[in-house]
Amino acid sequence: MNGSVRVGQIVGVPLRMHWSVPLLVVLFAYGLGRQTLPAWTPGRSDAVYTFASAVGALLLMGSLLLHETAHAATARRKKIAVQDVTLWALGGMTRMGRPQTAAVAFAVAVSGPLASLLIGGAALGAGIVLHLTSGWAVPAAVLMWLGWANLFLGAFNLLPAAPLDGGRVLQALLWWRTGDRERADRAASRSGQVMGVLLMAFGWVLLLRGAPGGLWLAFVGLFITVVAGAERQRAVIHTALRGVKVADAMSSPVTTGADWLTAQRFVDEVAVKSHHSAVPLLDFEGRPSGIVQIRRLAGIPAARREDLRVREVAIPLSQCTVAAPNDLLSEAVDRLRRAGMCILVVDGAHLVGIVTAKDISRLMQRHTLGAQGHSRAA
């Protein structure tokens, strides 16, 4: 996710934090310290409320991390590749490969809400016991607030709307019931779009009635609507690319350039001849070493182009999406690291082709024409 930085590692997976997380902690702490704790435990000093609210907000962020850790740990246990876990303003996001069976998809999806519900139950129970057996009213209130927050988080995530976990659960159940993964994906994403619109409408109603929390709800609804729409489009793409090999879509031969050339020489000798928006690079031994985007070259000041090697402004191979000619194109598309990136097709150590967004669009158009032809024939 743009705007996030790596801050560590959990269960063998890189942990990233978005810039919005500190803001989220401050908002949680403000609400807890200014409203909840004074209402539940009146008469304490501002210092007590401030310290307790800060601890509560950090505990809640830890709970969100455990929610995502449950997803990542379950995915790794089921042999699914996990790219990273990112905490951000709306909670967390775990990027991973696609489960290969409905049962695995169900297990991964349900693990996060179950973790939140267990944390919520434990925190709420601990808060009640502490309240009944001691005079520690403020710590008990923080634990009960944490418990209710996690119970809400777990229940909200179980709403049957992608990209929420409940949408993943719905998708897994439909996949198991129908045996058609793409159809289940489309149904779950359609449910997500409907739910997102309803949340936006409800949020605006609350906001117009003077409830500031309605704005947050409307924002969540907007996020769900946008992501669900993207997932529905991805399901359509998977249907169109079903059974298609990478070799069937790639452009070959492909214009390449040496990665040791200066930026100016690369522009003069290579970039002007390329028909693609990005050009693969080869090292001294003729092996692919990365890819450089034409717009990145165009953004280099003319005065620097003679001193800058093209590999210094390129995306290294470790950050590129690489596939073999016989790989399924749908699986390669799932591995795309960045929007608008190309797929480098490598056979052994040799670059044999490239798959661009135009290549995929061309296949989509053929699929649409074919579907229309079958429809008329029927």
Side-chain angles (χ1 to χ4, degrees):
M1 179 183 290
N2 293 333
S4 62
V5 295
R6 182 169 176 171
V7 294
Q9 185 170 298
I10 54 168
V11 295
V13 175
L15 172 63
R16 304 182 66 84
M17 183 177 295
H18 192 254
W19 62 264
S20 59
V21 170
L23 176 62
L24 185 64
V25 171
V26 170
L27 290 175
F28 279 141
Y30 181 84
L32 180 59
R34 289 288 183 176
Q35 299 175 2
T36 306
L37 289 180
W40 289 5
T41 58
R44 270 64 177 184
S45 67
D46 288 342
V48 169
Y49 290 143
T50 300
F51 178 77
S53 63
V55 171
L58 291 175
L59 286 175
L60 184 57
M61 292 308 302
S63 301
L64 295 175
L65 178 59
L66 289 175
H67 177 111
E68 296 303 324
T69 300
H71 285 308
T74 304
R76 284 174 60 86
R77 191 164 60 248
K78 299 294 184 179
K79 311 301 182 184
I80 300 174
V82 181
Q83 283 78 45
D84 55 41
V85 171
T86 303
L87 293 179
W88 69 304
L90 294 183
M93 179 174 63
T94 302
R95 293 196 306 152
M96 66 182 76
R98 300 187 89 200
Q100 296 305 306
T101 67
V104 171
F106 179 86
V108 174
V110 81
S111 60
L114 284 180
S116 293
L117 292 174
L118 288 173
I119 294 169
L124 186 60
I128 292 173
V129 170
L130 192 62
H131 175 71
L132 295 176
T133 60
S134 72
W136 296 352
V138 174
V142 170
L143 285 173
M144 286 190 283
W145 172 83
L146 180 66
W148 283 118
N150 274 279
L151 291 175
F152 172 79
L153 175 66
F156 182 81
N157 267 280
L158 285 174
L159 289 175
L164 298 177
D165 296 327
R168 311 291 186 210
V169 171
L170 175 63
Q171 183 268 346
L173 292 175
L174 291 174
W175 181 10
W176 171 78
R177 181 72 178 83
T178 65
D180 189 331
R181 180 178 193 156
E182 280 71 34
R183 180 181 173 187
D185 285 346
R186 291 195 300 272
S189 59
R190 191 180 304 115
S191 175
Q193 289 178 300
V194 172
M195 184 66 69
V197 171
L198 291 176
L199 287 175
M200 280 194 292
F202 185 57
W204 279 112
V205 170
L206 291 178
L207 186 63
L208 292 174
R209 292 188 174 184
L215 183 61
W216 179 84
L217 194 61
F219 181 72
V220 171
L222 176 62
F223 169 76
I224 291 175
T225 303
V226 171
V227 176
E231 293 200 357
R232 187 175 182 183
Q233 180 61 31
R234 187 175 70 172
V236 172
I237 291 174
H238 273 275
T239 300
L241 302 184
R242 184 181 294 172
V244 177
K245 299 291 184 64
V246 170
D248 299 329
M250 71 181 185
S251 299
S252 181
V254 57
T255 301
T256 60
D259 64 3
W260 65 85
L261 295 177
T262 64
Q264 185 60 58
R265 186 177 171 188
F266 190 90
V267 169
D268 294 338
E269 299 180 6
V270 181
V272 293
K273 302 176 184 177
S274 176
H275 298 293
H276 295 129
S277 60
V279 180
L281 301 180
L282 304 179
D283 61 16
F284 279 109
E285 299 179 2
R287 298 175 301 187
S289 62
I291 192 167
V292 64
Q293 296 173 317
I294 300 299
R295 61 178 176 80
R296 181 74 176 86
L297 289 173
I300 301 173
R304 295 192 57 207
R305 292 182 183 176
E306 292 291 352
D307 302 322
L308 203 62
R309 300 290 176 181
V310 70
R311 60 172 168 257
E312 297 178 51
V313 296
I315 300 170
L317 189 65
S318 61
Q319 297 179 24
C320 296
T321 302
V322 179
N326 289 327
D327 287 350
L328 288 174
L329 182 57
S330 58
E331 295 180 357
V333 169
D334 280 340
R335 297 199 305 271
L336 279 172
R337 303 284 184 91
R338 305 181 186 184
M341 279 288 289
C342 305
I343 300 172
L344 299 181
V345 188
V346 178
D347 189 4
H350 302 287
L351 182 73
V352 295
I354 188 172
V355 180
T356 66
K358 289 184 178 179
D359 296 321
I360 296 174
S361 177
R362 184 170 61 250
L363 283 174
M364 294 288 294
Q365 291 170 357
R366 289 178 184 174
H367 173 79
T368 301
L369 290 174
Q372 291 174 348
H374 287 308
S375 177
R376 285 193 296 268

